[in-house]
Amino acid sequence: MRVYLLNNTKPYREGDEEYSGAWFNCPVDFEEIREKIGVEHEEQIEIADYELPFDLHSDTQLWEINANCRMVLELEGTPIGNEMKAIQQKWFSSFEEFIDHKDEIRYYDVGDGAALAEYLIREEYVFGEIPHELLKHIDYHSYGSELEMDDRYLFTTSGVFRYQ
């Protein structure tokens, strides 16, 4: 995760070799910004580019970028972190909304709809307790196909997610 910050007190002029800006790894330390691009106050920086799993505006505050990056780092390596973009696109209009509701997302470590159907029926008893002799007659593939069309579920290569 990184951002390209410009010193907006030094505009680019033709003939200059480069912009008065630099890439910074996130979370960003203001002292590093001060040293690299020569600013004294946060108001003197502008976001010119970024490589982040969330969107920014050119006037997004540094503390907000850092807070979001820390959230991403917290989720890194988890199933929700691995599929963050897909989850956000499916159910949320912003990164902040995703973060606010991340604890309401359920993860199932299954590969397809049939496996999810079997898990829900056998382990979570979605239809109540079913006698053992009837379990072998359930069409998990058919029920799984229904689940795959349900907007509450997101099927990914990492597993299945559910948001209510």
Side-chain angles (χ1 to χ4, degrees), residues 35-137:
E35 288 173 20
K36 277 190 175 177
I37 63 174
V39 296
E40 291 300 317
H41 306 286
E42 191 172 330
E43 296 78 31
Q44 296 174 321
I45 61 173
E46 181 180 330
I47 300 163
D49 198 3
Y50 59 90
E51 295 172 357
L52 299 167
F54 51 87
D55 291 329
L56 293 181
H57 301 286
S58 62
D59 61 344
T60 303
Q61 297 292 310
L62 200 53
W63 67 265
E64 187 177 347
I65 296 168
N66 286 340
N68 287 345
C69 287
R70 285 186 186 94
M71 289 290 188
V72 170
L73 290 173
E74 257 181 53
L75 293 172
E76 203 169 66
T78 66
I80 289 177
N82 295 340
E83 299 293 343
M84 187 180 323
K85 275 221 187 275
I87 292 169
Q88 185 179 334
Q89 288 174 345
K90 173 117 175 132
W91 292 308
F92 305 105
S93 60
S94 69
F95 179 76
E96 290 75 18
E97 186 182 3
F98 162 71
I99 290 298
D100 289 345
H101 296 279
K102 71 181 177 6
D103 295 332
E104 299 166 35
I105 300 168
R106 177 82 192 271
Y107 170 69
Y108 299 95
D109 188 13
V110 296
D112 60 19
L116 177 62
E118 187 171 354
Y119 178 82
L120 292 174
I121 291 169
R122 289 179 173 255
E123 303 296 327
E124 292 194 353
Y125 305 108
V126 293
F127 298 125
E129 198 161 336
I130 298 173
H132 181 69
E133 49 282 350
L134 290 179
L135 285 173
K136 63 184 176 186
H137 299 287

Side-chain angles (χ1 to χ4, degrees), residues 10-26:
K10 295 181 182 176
Y12 177 77
R13 293 181 191 14
E14 272 195 53
D16 287 354
E17 289 185 22
E18 59 185 44
Y19 289 98
S20 56
W23 282 102
F24 295 90
N25 291 326
C26 297

Side-chain angles (χ1 to χ4, degrees), residues 5 13 22 29 32 37 72 86 94 143 149 151:
L5 301 176
R13 293 181 191 14
D29 177 30
E32 183 183 1
I37 63 174
V72 170
S94 69
Y143 182 49
M149 292 186 289
D151 277 344

